[in-house]
Amino acid sequence: MESKQEHTPCPTRLAGDRLRSVGLRPTRQRIALAGLLFAKGDRHLTAEELHEEAVSAGVPVSLATVYNTLHQFTDAGMLRVLAVESSKTYFDTNTSDHQHFFIEGDNEVMDIPTGGISIDGLPDVPEGMEVAHIDVIVRLRRKSS
Amino acid sequence: MESKQEHTPCPTRLAGDRLRSVGLRPTRQRIALAGLLFAKGDRHLTAEELHEEAVSAGVPVSLATVYNTLHQFTDAGMLRVLAVESSKTYFDTNTSDHQHFFIEGDNEVMDIPTGGISIDGLPDVPEGMEVAHIDVIVRLRRKSS
DNA sequence: CTGTGTGCAAACTCTTTGCATAAGT
DNA sequence: ACTTATGCAAAGAGTTTGCACACAG
């Protein structure tokens, strides 16, 4: 309506605006990584995985930049860090309150369908402390049967 | 000195029997580490912390052996691994079903008083999978007031 | 004695950092 | 132009491993 550019559903521009709105310069790499991260629904991945994805997608970005970018996105509230197993950091594109399945062996993280779990009887929190977040991880293993 | 060794409630012997019963040779180091781990109630510590404790207690043990021993104890079911934050592995001397507080900033883990939390409405578990364990971590932060 | 455990140092994985170059506004 | 981001390689933390020596049974 205001300009002819609205006809183009350009994802790059959308990502750019989103980045700008959190104070990050929309560089090629950040736009590309944001595209990979937020295009296809909720995802859980490591820096290494995202890096590989970017390279396969023809976006030559360094692993260091992927790490930097993931942390910048996390600080901007676009991502959440997941502690499922020591020694690997998973980033979750869903920052809302939800829980996870973790498939042991496959090292795969899945969202638990919303409203799945409710937590009751939270005990007294120590003086001067408040709850920042409650992480629930349901660890699954393949049935031995 | 005396020959009446039965009168001595020797912790070394107790630890030795416990180790033997899980198929581990009761060596000096394993006995000492087991002593430190299980003497004073439930604990949550890293390999580094236990190593330092051992050295301070006059038990010269190498960090590598502490790691090995912690994993042997874990395999034997005497310990449980805790995934609270990436990049550090916490070992929990309480292997029963319970949940944890994690104090952000202090990096301290505390047990949540038993019966504190109940989890309802566990959703459908994917086909062929079963629940190995449910981890609940209540992350606390200092109140900003 | 015989085999297992230990210590050391080196290797390894994941992650962060310093600095010169490249890109954004 | 001026500033900020990127890439590379090197450093850093935490953890594992290989091998010679030491200890438990």
Side-chain angles (χ1 to χ4, degrees), chain B residues 69-94:
Chain B
T69 304
L70 285 171
H71 285 134
Q72 291 154 359
F73 286 5
T74 301
D75 293 343
M78 296 162 66
L79 294 176
R80 163 177 274 294
V81 170
L82 233 61
V84 280
E85 60 165 353
S86 340
S87 91
K88 254 181 184 176
T89 303
Y90 283 79
F91 293 86
D92 187 348
T93 60
N94 181 350

Side-chain angles (χ1 to χ4, degrees), chain B residues 6-75:
Chain B
E6 284 121 54
H7 294 156
T8 346
C10 176
T12 298
R13 165 146 316 234
L14 293 175
D17 289 345
R18 177 157 188 202
L19 289 171
R20 237 183 294 267
S21 77
V22 296
L24 292 173
R25 253 201 212 166
T27 64
R28 301 191 201 304
Q29 291 83 342
R30 296 214 265 235
I31 290 170
L33 294 178
L36 290 170
L37 282 169
F38 303 111
K40 11 179 173 166
D42 294 337
R43 313 195 61 193
H44 314 86
L45 27 68
T46 63
E48 206 95 41
E49 286 165 2
L50 180 58
H51 178 240
E52 194 163 320
E53 230 178 73
V55 171
S56 312
V59 184
V61 64
S62 76
L63 182 55
T65 296
V66 172
Y67 273 107
N68 290 338
T69 304
L70 285 171
H71 285 134
Q72 291 154 359
F73 286 5
T74 301
D75 293 343

